[in-house]
Amino acid sequence: MGSEQGKGRASSSGPAGTADSVRVDTWLWSVRQVKSRSRATAACKAGHVKINNITAKPSQHVKVGDTVRYRFEGFDRVLEVTRIIRTRVGAPIAVTCYVDHSEPRPDPFMLMGIPRRERGTGRPTKRERRQLDALRGRDANFGRGR
């Protein structure tokens, strides 16, 4: 009777274990696209993950051939699933589990010109420093007591 319990599940071949499909949050974590499964779950709940251009819930399953698109740091990553794994593996193995169809990220220096002040105008004012911080994506009040 004990051997009949595992008939519905796929057999594991190595440390990763393979199957026909796996949860999208588990797969994203397994192929090292996010640092933790809880972050993958949060990304799915926030609507940042799509499977075949349909917004995915964390429990939705992916299978070989599916296209997973997720938003990371303001850019879309487009991954085609080539292998299903359930546990986190090393980076060289993880890269073999998907094909990256993402567009290359633009060079940050090409997106915006480096702001420069005229020589001899002195230090920037507080207002100008806030504008520079906002332009660079920094929080001006970070690390200061309230």
Side-chain angles (χ1 to χ4, degrees), residues 3 11 17 21 32-33 41 51-52 61 67 72 90 98-99 103 106 115 122 126-127 138 145-146:
S3 64
S11 63
S21 65
R32 307 182 76 84
Q33 295 298 312
T41 303
I51 299 173
N52 299 326
H61 285 254
T67 302
F72 180 71
Y98 60 87
V99 177
E103 293 184 16
K126 190 172 188 176
R127 179 180 179 194
R138 298 182 188 157
R146 291 184 185 234

Side-chain angles (χ1 to χ4, degrees), residues 22-64:
V22 69
R23 289 173 55 121
V24 67
D25 58 349
T26 303
W27 186 81
L28 284 171
W29 168 75
S30 299
V31 295
R32 307 182 76 84
Q33 295 298 312
V34 290
K35 289 185 177 184
S36 67
R37 186 165 158 215
S38 61
R39 284 189 182 185
T41 303
C44 291
K45 287 181 179 178
H48 299 298
V49 178
K50 293 182 178 184
I51 299 173
N52 299 326
N53 290 327
I54 300 172
T55 304
K57 293 182 179 179
S59 62
Q60 189 168 343
H61 285 254
V62 293
K63 57 188 177 302
V64 174

Side-chain angles (χ1 to χ4, degrees), residues 1-9:
M1 183 102 173
S3 64
E4 302 218 3
Q5 288 178 342
K7 281 190 173 180
R9 297 188 308 198

